[in-house]
């Protein structure tokens, strides 16, 4: 992700949707975590089916960190959760 997308922002939240694991991605980037969380859940409701991969990550100080992910096969996973 190009960190210049949100100029003058310290933190960005990215939601990535793929209709198959290594397929092309649809991306959304926001400065507010509530907006990213809302879109993550909306996209899950609209596109959550076998093969879909949905991830929410945060970019802070140049480091990408996972927040949560969803696949049909493994359901919702939170970062740091087993």
């Amino acid at each position: 992700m190009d960190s210049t997308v949100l100029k003058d922002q310290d933190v960005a939240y990215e939601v990535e949707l793929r209709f198959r694991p290594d397929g092309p991605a649809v991306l959304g980037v926001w400065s507010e975590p509530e907006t990213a969380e809302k879109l993550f859940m909306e996209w899950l409701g609209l596109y959550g089916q076998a093969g879909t991969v949905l991830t929410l990550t945060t970019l802070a100080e140049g480091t990408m960190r996972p927040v949560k992910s969803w696949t049909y096969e493994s359901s919702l996973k939170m970062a740091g959760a087993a």
Side-chain angles (χ1 to χ4, degrees):
M1 181 178 99
D2 183 358
S3 61
T4 61
V5 171
L6 295 172
K7 294 179 181 175
D8 302 323
Q9 296 291 330
D10 294 327
V11 179
Y13 299 88
E14 178 182 286
V15 178
E16 178 181 286
L17 170 66
R18 294 178 188 271
F19 292 101
R20 61 181 192 270
D22 291 319
V26 176
L27 299 173
V29 179
W30 297 272
S31 60
E32 297 294 324
E34 297 84 7
T35 304
E37 174 70 27
K38 179 181 176 193
L39 264 289
F40 180 93
M41 296 308 293
E42 281 183 22
W43 288 1
L44 177 57
L46 288 170
Y47 307 111
Q49 59 189 348
T52 300
V53 178
L54 186 61
T55 58
L56 172 60
T57 56
T58 183
L59 174 66
E61 299 175 5
T63 303
M64 251 337 199
R65 293 189 175 90
V67 176
K68 62 173 70 175
S69 64
W70 182 92
T71 64
Y72 184 82
E73 296 74 22
S74 58
S75 194
L76 185 63
K77 295 204 178 225
M78 306 299 287

